[in-house]
Amino acid sequence: MNTKKLIFSVFTLCILIILSFLRWDNLESSADLHYKYDRWAGQKWVEFYPPLAASSNSMEFPLIYMDEIHPNDINKYLGKQALSGELVNKWIERTKLTDGYIGLLLLNILVIIYSFFKVFILRVKKIG
């Protein structure tokens, strides 16, 4: 029984790892903007790299009701979406999906470790 649980957990871990690689779809990019699509949430996101920034840090935010944005319109857009609360809702949805995935992944890894030791200890007891 423990061997079946171990095999099932390893199989599930492989599926979870594959799903993590399939989450994001990289879309068109420019010098300052990089668009990507979150397949899990069904939401388009943009990373904005300010051209005169002192560091390589970017701003990341969801595009709501639009497919692309001009760098000059970002502050106006973020202010409008922040006031409506939709920006926060999209971040919360993304965070919940990410946290749920990490929770499943950690739980799966713990089950694999537990099952491995259970199988290993049973074999050692049978030999000894």
Side-chain angles (χ1 to χ4, degrees):
M1 183 66 177
N2 286 324
T3 307
K4 288 181 184 179
K5 188 187 297 185
L6 180 61
I7 292 170
F8 179 75
S9 296
V10 170
F11 178 72
T12 308
L13 179 65
C14 292
I15 290 173
L16 287 171
I17 291 171
I18 290 169
L19 284 175
S20 72
F21 285 111
L22 296 176
R23 180 173 186 177
W24 294 102
D25 184 19
N26 290 318
L27 304 173
E28 70 275 359
S29 296
S30 66
D32 300 335
L33 300 170
H34 175 75
Y35 296 97
K36 58 186 181 176
Y37 184 73
D38 183 355
R39 290 185 182 119
W40 294 0
Q43 179 65 50
K44 191 171 185 179
W45 291 76
V46 64
E47 289 180 28
F48 174 61
Y49 297 92
L52 301 175
S55 68
S56 62
N57 292 339
S58 66
M59 282 187 347
E60 188 173 20
F61 52 89
L63 287 179
I64 304 168
Y65 306 123
M66 58 180 16
D67 288 331
E68 57 185 51
I69 192 166
H70 192 272
N72 295 337
D73 300 332
I74 288 177
N75 287 333
K76 180 180 170 186
Y77 169 78
L78 290 175
K80 177 183 173 187
Q81 296 303 329
L83 286 176
S84 71
E86 289 188 68
L87 194 68
V88 174
N89 290 338
K90 295 298 180 182
W91 272 105
I92 289 172
E93 181 182 359
R94 177 179 167 178
T95 303
K96 283 182 181 178
L97 288 169
T98 302
D99 291 348
Y101 171 78
I102 291 171
L104 282 173
L105 191 64
L106 290 175
L107 180 65
N108 196 291
I109 290 170
L110 288 174
V111 169
I112 288 173
I113 292 169
Y114 175 77
S115 298
F116 177 78
F117 281 121
K118 199 80 159 156
V119 168
F120 181 71
I121 290 171
L122 286 176
R123 290 210 174 137
V124 169
K125 285 183 180 179
K126 284 182 182 178
I127 293 173

